[in-house]
Amino acid sequence: MLATCRFCGAVWVARSPTPARCPRCRKRHPLAADAEPVPLSRPQCNRCGYRWTARTPSPTSCPACGSKLWNTPPRIFRLTPAAKAKPRNAPRVRRPSR
């Protein structure tokens, strides 16, 4: 799609239907102001609780703690009933001396 600047008359191949700036004079294109703004998401890390404004639709990691699993809840390890019944301070068996 060819775009034409209203200020300097430059013609270029636009990458989007409403280009933001002219590549020659760098002035803002009037059509870009009329476009609807993209809503920004505010994801929250499930690991450290940090909340940030995402630049991409699906962030790969948390910017605060760097966790790649920021959007999955952390695992909670619980002891099974059999593990709870096991005595912790069992008597040690002595080996016979040589």
Side-chain angles (χ1 to χ4, degrees), residues 52 54 56-63 66-71:
W52 72 96
T56 60
S58 58
T60 56
S61 64
C62 171
S67 174
K68 303 274 187 212
L69 302 172
W70 66 268
N71 55 352

Side-chain angles (χ1 to χ4, degrees), residues 4-96:
T4 306
C5 179
R6 292 184 185 178
F7 302 105
C8 69
V11 179
W12 74 94
V13 177
R15 289 183 265 169
S16 66
T18 56
R21 292 180 180 260
C22 169
R24 185 164 63 175
C25 68
R26 302 299 295 164
K27 288 190 177 181
R28 288 209 175 270
H29 203 274
L31 296 177
D34 299 337
E36 288 184 26
V38 177
L40 298 174
S41 63
R42 300 252 324 151
Q44 183 174 3
C45 179
N46 287 336
R47 305 297 170 138
C48 68
Y50 183 71
R51 184 178 287 274
W52 72 96
T53 303
R55 295 186 203 166
T56 60
S58 58
T60 56
S61 64
C62 171
C65 67
S67 174
K68 303 274 187 212
L69 302 172
W70 66 268
N71 55 352
T72 57
R75 290 183 179 176
I76 298 174
F77 293 101
R78 295 193 174 126
L79 293 176
T80 60
K84 285 182 183 178
K86 189 176 184 181
R88 290 186 178 179
N89 296 331
R92 295 177 71 182
V93 178
R94 291 189 174 191
R95 289 186 177 180

